[in-house]
């Protein structure tokens, strides 16, 4: 299941993350998410995804690639521009 939550943030994104985490506990299907929002605007949701091991991709292309080949999963924290600033 690929979720395109490109511009979701704040309480809306947190509620979506909580709902997805609950739903996935009753399913054996894998799920991942795409978000282009910076971490500061989505801390609660991204923390939920991390706690539930739901990958968050930094682009729709990465999400699609990861759905085809799970080895392509590159979490949002490893986006190239973030690696350069570390």
């Amino acid at each position: 299941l690929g979720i395109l939550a490109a511009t979701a943030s704040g309480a809306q994104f947190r509620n979506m993350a909580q709902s997805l985490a609950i739903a996935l506990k009753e399913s054996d299907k894998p799920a991942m998410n795409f978000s282009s929002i910076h971490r500061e605007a989505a801390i609660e949701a991204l923390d939920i995804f991390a706690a539930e091991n739901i990958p968050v991709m930094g682009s729709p292309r990465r999400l699609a690639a990861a759905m085809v080949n799970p080895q392509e999963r590159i979490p949002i924290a490893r986006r190239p521009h973030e690696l350069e600033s570390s």
Side-chain angles (χ1 to χ4, degrees), residues 6-71:
T7 59
S9 63
Q12 178 188 31
F13 199 23
R14 181 198 64 233
N15 292 340
M16 187 206 66
Q18 289 172 334
S19 297
L20 182 59
I22 291 167
L24 288 176
K25 289 180 188 218
E26 299 176 15
S27 173
D28 61 347
K29 296 193 183 278
M32 55 195 81
N33 185 23
F34 155 64
S35 174
S36 61
I37 298 297
H38 287 280
R39 179 158 179 73
E40 296 79 28
I43 292 172
E44 291 176 301
L46 294 176
D47 286 348
I48 292 167
F49 288 130
E52 298 296 329
N53 294 315
I54 301 170
V56 179
M57 306 300 169
S59 76
R61 182 168 283 166
R62 285 188 183 164
L63 177 62
M67 291 178 74
V68 171
N69 180 1
Q71 299 304 318

